[in-house]
C-alpha cells in the first residue's frame, strides 16, 4: 500500500504526464537535442576504454585487479560527487554545469593518455569520474526538465543516448586501441571538445521556467533517502551494479580477444542495450508492470552471469552471454531509472543524485573485487559472485514491494 504523500504524488505525476503525453518522442526543443548528442559523446568515453583493459595490463605490467581499479576509482569518485551535483547545478545552472563536466573529462582523459604508470592512470580516472558525475546527473535532469513529451519519453531518450554512446564507443576504442592503449584516452578528450562546442552553441543561455529549481543543499540527497521507495531502488541498484560492472570490467580478460574483437563484442552489447531501452522497456512496463518487468530482467541477467561462471573457458558462451546481457541491461536501466524518477515526492535532480550515490558504490566495489576473486580463486568465481548480488537485489525489491508498487500507477508506457 502506498502512503498518503505518495498517493498525492502519484496523482500529481499522472496529471503531469497526461498533459504532456501527446508530444512525440522526437518532438523536442533544440536544447534537449543538444544535451542528447553531448550525452552520446560522453557515454562513448565509457565504451572506448573497455577493449583496451587487457592491453593496459600487458603494457603497464599491471595485474588484472590493478587494471580493474580504473573502474573502481571512476565509480567511487562518481558516487561521492553525485551528492554535490545538485548543489553545483542549482548555482551554476544546467548549461555551465554540463560544460564544466565536459571540460574535466577532457582534461583528465588527455592526461591519462600521456601517463606512464597504472597508479597514475587510476588516479586520473578518478578525476574523470568527477567530470562524468557533473555531466551525467545534470544531463538526466536537464532532458527530463526541458522535454515537452513527459518524463517517460524523456528518460527513454536519455537511455537511447547512453545506448548509442556505449555501442559506438567500443568500436572506436578497439580501432584506436589497436594502435596504442593511449589512443582511446586521447580519443575521449577529442570527443569531449566536440561535445563542448556543440553544447555551447546549441544550448541556450536562458533556462525555461520548468527547469528552474530552488538552490539545493548537500543534505538534500540524504533527506531524499528517508523515502523508503527511493532507498529501496538505490540499494537494489547498488547490488545489481555489482553484476553489471563485473561483466563490464572483468569479462574482457576472459574472452581471449584482441582490441578489435572486444570492440565488436561490446558493439553488439551496446546495440542491444540501446534498442531494448527505447523500444522494449516501455512495452514490458505496459504489459507486465515496471516492478515485475525489472525483477524478471534481473533474474535473467543473474542466470547469464551464472552461465559465464560455469563455462568461463568456453569462448563462444562468454561472448554470447555478454552480447545478450545488453538486452537485459537496456530494459532494466530504463525501467529502474523511470521508477526512481517517479519514486518519491522530491526534486528529480535530488532523486537522481541520491540514487546514483548508492548505485555507483556498487559499481566501485565490484571491479576490484572481481579481479581479486579471480586471482585468489579462479576466473569463474567473479561471475558467480556477481550473479549472487543480482539475485539479492531481486529479493530486496520483492521484500519491499509494498514501498515501491506505486511506481506502476504512473508507468512507463506513455
Amino acid at each position: 500500500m502506498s502512503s498518503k504523500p505518495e498517493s498525492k504524488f502519484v496523482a500529481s505525476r499522472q496529471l503531469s504526464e497526461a498533459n504532456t503525453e501527446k508530444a512525440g518522442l522526437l518532438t523536442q526543443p533544440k536544447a534537449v537535442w543538444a544535451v542528447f548528442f553531448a550525452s552520446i559523446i560522453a557515454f562513448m568515453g565509457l565504451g572506448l576504454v573497455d577493449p583496451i583493459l587487457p592491453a593496459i595490463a600487458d603494457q603497464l605490467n599491471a595485474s588484472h585487479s590493478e587494471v580493474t581499479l580504473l573502474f573502481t576509482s571512476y565509480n567511487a569518485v562518481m558516487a561521492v560527487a553525485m551528492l554535490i551535483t545538485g548543489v553545483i547545478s542549482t548555482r551554476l545552472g544546467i548549461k555551465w554545469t554540463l560544460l564544466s563536466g565536459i571540460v574535466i573529462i577532457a582534461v583528465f582523459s588527455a592526461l591519462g593518455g600521456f601517463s606512464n604508470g597504472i597508479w597514475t592512470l587510476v588516479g586520473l580516472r578518478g578525476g574523470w569520474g568527477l567530470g562524468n558525475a557533473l555531466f551525467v546527473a545534470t544531463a538526466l535532469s536537464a532532458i527530463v526538465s526541458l522535454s515537452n513529451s513527459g518524463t517517460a519519453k524523456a528518460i527513454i531518450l536519455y537511455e537511447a543516448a547512453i545506448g548509442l554512446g556505449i555501442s559506438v564507443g567500443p568500436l572506436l576504442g578497439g580501432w584506436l586501441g589497436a594502435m596504442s592503449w593511449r589512443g582511446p584516452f586521447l580519443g575521449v578528450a577529442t570527443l569531449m571538445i566536440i561535445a563542448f562546442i556543440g553544447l555551447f552553441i546549441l544550448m541556450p543561455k536562458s533556462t525555461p521556467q520548468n527547469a528552474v529549481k530552488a538552490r539545493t543543499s548537500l543534505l538534500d540527497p540524504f533527506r531524499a533517502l528517508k523515502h523508503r521507495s527511493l532507498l529501496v531502488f538505490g540499494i537494489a541498484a547498488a547490488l545489481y551494479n555489482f553484476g553489471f560492472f563485473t561483466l563490464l570490467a572483468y569479462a574482457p580478460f576472459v574472452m581471449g580477444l584482441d582490441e578489435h574483437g572486444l570492440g565488436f563484442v561490446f558493439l553488439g552489447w551496446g546495440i542491444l542495450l540501446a534498442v531494448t531501452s527505447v523500444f522494449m522497456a516501455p512495452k514490458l512496463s505496459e504489459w507486465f508492470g515496471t516492478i515485475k518487468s525489472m525483477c524478471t530482467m534481473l533474474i535473467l541477467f543473474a542466470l547469464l552471469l551464472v552461465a559465464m561462471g560455469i563455462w568461463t573457458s568456453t569462448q563462444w558462451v562468454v561472448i554470447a552471454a555478454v552480447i545478450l546481457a545488453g538486452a537485459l541491461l537496456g530494459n532494466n536501466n530504463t525501467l529502474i531509472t523511470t521508477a526512481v524518477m517517479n519514486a518519491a515526492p522530491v526534486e528529480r535532480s535530488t532523486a537522481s543524485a541520491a540514487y546514483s550515490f548508492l548505485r555507483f558504490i556498487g559499481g566501485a566495489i565490484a571491479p576490484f573485487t572481481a579481479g581479486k576473486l579471480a586471482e585468489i580463486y579462479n576466473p569463474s568465481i567473479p561471475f558467480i559472485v556477481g550473479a549472487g548480488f543480482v539475485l539479492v537485489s531481486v529479493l530486496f525489491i520483492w521484500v519491499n514491494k509494498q514501498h515501491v508498487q506505486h511506481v506502476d500507477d504512473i508507468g512507463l508506457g506513455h
Side-chain angles (χ1 to χ4, degrees):
M1 292 292 290
S2 299
S3 64
K4 194 172 181 180
E6 284 173 337
S7 298
K8 291 181 178 178
F9 168 66
V10 167
S12 173
R13 281 282 159 90
Q14 284 176 323
L15 180 61
S16 174
E17 292 296 310
N19 290 335
T20 55
E21 65 176 302
K22 289 183 180 180
L25 179 66
L26 302 180
T27 310
Q28 303 290 350
K30 184 170 65 175
V32 170
W33 290 117
V35 179
F36 175 80
F37 287 113
S39 297
I40 292 175
I41 295 174
F43 281 102
M44 283 178 73
L46 181 64
L48 269 171
V49 177
D50 222 42
I52 58 168
L53 293 178
I56 292 173
D58 290 339
Q59 294 178 37
L60 293 184
N61 297 315
S63 68
H64 290 178
S65 61
E66 287 172 343
V67 174
T68 58
L69 283 171
L70 293 173
F71 281 94
T72 291
S73 63
Y74 174 83
N75 285 324
V77 173
M78 273 191 76
V80 176
M82 283 295 176
L83 298 173
I84 64 170
T85 54
V87 175
I88 294 172
S89 65
T90 54
R91 285 158 177 78
L92 290 182
I94 289 174
K95 180 175 182 176
W96 290 106
T97 304
L98 290 171
L99 292 175
S100 298
I102 287 173
V103 168
I104 293 170
I105 294 170
V107 168
F108 280 96
S109 59
L111 290 173
F114 291 110
S115 64
N116 293 306
I118 186 63
W119 295 107
T120 304
L121 202 55
V122 168
L124 292 170
R125 273 284 282 182
W128 186 340
L130 171 62
N132 220 52
L134 289 173
F135 182 88
V136 170
T138 312
L140 174 57
S141 59
I143 287 179
V144 170
S145 300
L146 297 167
S147 173
N148 58 11
S149 60
T151 303
K153 289 176 182 174
I155 289 173
I156 290 168
L157 199 64
Y158 175 76
E159 293 295 339
I162 293 176
L164 287 169
I166 287 178
S167 60
V168 176
L171 198 62
L172 185 58
W175 178 67
L176 293 172
M179 301 181 212
S180 167
W181 69 264
R182 301 177 190 276
F185 284 89
L186 299 176
V188 168
T190 304
L191 288 171
M192 286 298 104
I193 293 171
I194 296 170
F196 181 92
I197 294 169
L199 205 60
F200 185 82
I201 294 171
L202 293 174
M203 195 167 182
K205 291 180 182 178
S206 59
T207 306
Q209 191 62 39
N210 68 328
V212 176
K213 300 182 288 290
R215 289 191 174 189
T216 60
S217 76
L218 288 170
L219 295 176
D220 283 350
F222 294 105
R223 293 191 187 106
L225 290 174
K226 290 180 180 178
H227 294 280
R228 185 67 175 269
S229 53
L230 195 57
L231 182 63
V232 168
F233 284 129
I235 293 174
L239 295 166
Y240 141 69
N241 264 292
F242 202 98
F244 183 106
F245 279 96
T246 294
L247 181 139
L248 201 62
Y250 184 69
F253 293 112
V254 301
M255 279 191 269
L257 298 171
D258 62 10
E259 291 85 353
H260 287 300
L262 288 171
F264 280 114
V265 170
F266 281 99
L267 169 67
W269 175 81
I271 288 172
L272 284 182
L273 188 145
V275 171
T276 54
S277 65
V278 175
F279 299 106
M280 191 173 173
K283 292 298 182 185
L284 289 175
S285 179
E286 185 180 345
W287 294 337
F288 307 110
T290 301
I291 303 301
K292 191 178 290 184
S293 299
M294 190 189 306
C295 290
T296 303
M297 291 301 109
L298 290 173
I299 291 169
L300 292 174
F301 178 46
L303 292 175
L304 271 184
L305 288 172
V306 169
M308 291 173 73
I310 294 172
W311 292 287
T312 308
S313 57
T314 307
Q315 187 185 51
W316 73 266
V317 172
V318 176
I319 291 172
V322 168
I323 294 172
L324 287 173
L328 305 177
L329 298 172
N331 281 319
N332 191 67
N333 286 349
T334 297
L335 291 165
I336 198 166
T337 303
T338 307
V340 167
M341 293 293 101
N342 294 324
V346 297
E347 283 282 354
R348 282 168 174 148
S349 58
T350 302
S352 177
Y355 158 74
S356 295
F357 166 67
L358 289 175
R359 76 179 172 121
F360 282 116
I361 288 175
I365 296 169
F368 181 70
T369 303
K372 272 297 176 189
L373 286 171
E375 288 171 8
I376 296 169
Y377 299 103
N378 60 66
S380 300
I381 294 298
F383 299 114
I384 301 298
V385 172
F389 274 92
V390 175
L391 287 175
V392 171
S393 75
V394 177
L395 291 173
F396 187 72
I397 292 171
W398 208 253
V399 167
N400 290 279
K401 190 177 179 182
Q402 71 272 24
H403 299 291
V404 297
Q405 193 62 52
H406 65 279
V407 301
D408 278 329
D409 296 331
I410 299 172
L412 183 58
H414 290 300

